[in-house]
Amino acid sequence: GTVFGAAFDDNWHVRHIAVTSVNAMNKLRGSKYVQSDISTTYQDAEKLLQAGHTVLFSGTPCQIGGLKGYLRKDYERLYTIDVVCHGVPSPKVYQKRLDEVTELSSSPVIKVNFRDKTPGWKRFNIVFQTENHIFATHKRRGPYMRLFLNNVSTRPSCSDCAFNNKHSLADLTIADYWGVNKHFPLFDDDKGVTLVLVNTEKGAGLFADCQSELECQQTDFKRGAEYNAALSKKMTPHPSRQLFFAELDHKSLSALANEILGTAEN
Ligand SMILES: Cc1cc2nc3c(=O)[nH]c(=O)nc-3n(C[C@H](O)[C@H](O)[C@H](O)COP(=O)(O)OP(=O)(O)OC[C@H]3O[C@@H](n4cnc5c(N)ncnc54)[C@H](O)[C@@H]3O)c2cc1C
């Protein structure tokens, strides 16, 4: 079948693409913390489904909601997976960060990794690599992630999300299992544990199909959501969000992050 999901293009923009081989699925792996351009993937998925092909569509909960609204009917061969999402940063802010690191290092970006787990899953880095430099910052210290995690740079629609808090329309939902070190300490190797929520019978079938290839441990929603703010709370925009966007064309992301959030912790 065909798998749709978010990938980097040649300019490090994030957009939805279709892949049809296991090797190409690598492009979809790894969370990209910016709104992905859905491009023509709803239309492409519909054509494949109408022709009787199997489609797995992954994305944010609103992108799965959008797909279902676009299709307006159920397809037996359609499977959907969403990520738990507390909001997506605006592509304008991401472009600004790409421009900033390009300018700071006087060389083009050659790699972006939103979740470099070299220091560990819980203390991950965001990495922008250019030909001359590697900008690697802890998730709570670099301006891009600080502005995202504090809901300063997220889209306005994210604060009024119709799909979070158990309102997902996807067959499976994936998230970080924050708190796994408390619930299952022996299971936590700090390399990352994904929380998988099985929402539908189709999702149960998908999960059962790959279970033999996974190391898994059963939990329940209450425990899985206990330390996961995006699963247990509504996202409220930062009070200075509007100020941030008003100043975005005039100041650097570091200056704005320090002004709005204070200097980063060490
Ligand atoms: C914008 C965003 C916000 C998130 N917020 C939270 C949160 O608050 N709490 C939490 O527990 N988890 C959140 N996640 C999910 C988390 O980052 C991991 O995806 C999840 O823990 C599963 O990890 P994984 O390594 O198994 O899968 P990953 O490799 O991280 O996930 C790969 C899948 O994610 C999809 N994907 C990647 N980037 C995007 C994107 N920009 N837009 C749409 N789909 C995308 C790909 O298509 C692919 O199917 C968020 C993910 C995104 C993209």
Side-chain angles (χ1 to χ4, degrees):
T2 303
V3 179
F4 289 86
F8 290 109
D9 71 11
D10 294 343
N11 298 315
W12 298 102
H13 296 148
V14 175
R15 57 183 75 247
H16 261 57
I17 61 163
V19 300
T20 51
S21 72
V22 172
N23 274 351
M25 293 248 297
N26 254 338
K27 295 182 184 169
L28 312 184
R29 296 176 74 190
S31 284
K32 292 101 184 163
Y33 293 127
V34 61
Q35 184 176 28
S36 166
D37 179 347
I38 208 75
S39 185
T40 58
T41 52
Y42 290 168
Q43 291 97 312
D44 302 340
E46 185 179 41
K47 280 188 203 135
L48 288 165
L49 290 164
Q50 283 171 343
H53 293 285
T54 302
V55 167
L56 172 69
F57 202 103
S58 65
T60 55
C62 58
Q63 287 171 333
I64 302 303
L67 172 72
K68 301 241 165 157
Y70 176 82
L71 295 174
R72 286 188 296 168
K73 65 178 259 206
D74 278 340
Y75 287 89
E76 207 191 312
R77 286 173 177 271
L78 170 66
Y79 297 87
T80 50
I81 301 188
D82 61 11
V83 289
V84 161
C85 175
H86 78 273
V88 284
S90 137
K92 177 169 175 166
V93 178
Y94 175 60
Q95 183 60 53
K96 187 172 170 92
R97 191 62 191 148
L98 290 176
D99 293 344
E100 283 181 354
V101 295
T102 305
E103 200 181 316
L104 282 167
S105 74
S106 311
S107 60
V109 173
I110 55 168
K111 189 173 176 194
V112 179
N113 184 353
F114 287 92
R115 282 190 78 153
D116 166 33
K117 297 178 195 167
T118 317
W121 167 56
K122 297 181 199 79
R123 298 176 42 86
F124 69 88
N125 281 341
I126 176 169
V127 176
F128 288 91
Q129 187 175 346
T130 66
E131 270 171 16
N132 299 336
H133 285 90
I134 297 178
F135 298 84
T137 31
H138 178 266
K139 64 173 178 176
R140 302 234 170 252
R141 287 200 284 272
Y144 187 81
M145 286 306 283
R146 289 178 78 211
L147 289 162
F148 168 44
L149 294 175
N150 287 289
N151 302 330
V152 181
S153 59
T154 43
R155 304 300 315 274
S157 46
C158 300
S159 53
D160 201 18
C161 180
F163 301 103
N164 67 1
N165 268 337
K166 292 202 226 172
H167 293 115
S168 161
L169 298 181
D171 298 309
L172 292 176
T173 297
I174 56 174
D176 288 301
Y177 193 165
W178 300 130
V180 68
N181 51 328
K182 299 196 173 64
H183 298 156
F184 304 104
L186 295 178
F187 200 68
D188 174 32
D189 57 6
D190 204 28
K191 290 183 178 160
V193 176
T194 300
L195 181 71
V196 182
L197 307 180
V198 177
N199 303 327
T200 64
E201 273 185 31
K202 258 190 192 177
L206 272 186
F207 191 72
D209 282 350
C210 59
Q211 199 161 355
S212 63
E213 313 225 10
L214 306 172
E215 277 180 59
C216 42
Q217 180 83 48
Q218 191 165 348
T219 186
D220 56 36
F221 183 82
K222 198 169 158 227
R223 294 204 326 151
E226 188 178 351
Y227 297 96
N228 191 317
L231 265 173
S232 50
K233 285 193 204 122
K234 194 172 161 6
M235 197 283 276
T236 27
H238 192 279
S240 297
R241 186 186 173 282
Q242 270 189 312
L243 172 85
F244 169 75
F245 279 97
E247 300 275 309
L248 188 57
D249 290 334
H250 313 293
K251 293 181 182 169
S252 71
L253 289 185
S254 294
L256 285 166
N258 289 342
E259 218 171 284
I260 292 169
L261 302 168
T263 341
E265 61 191 58
N266 271 313

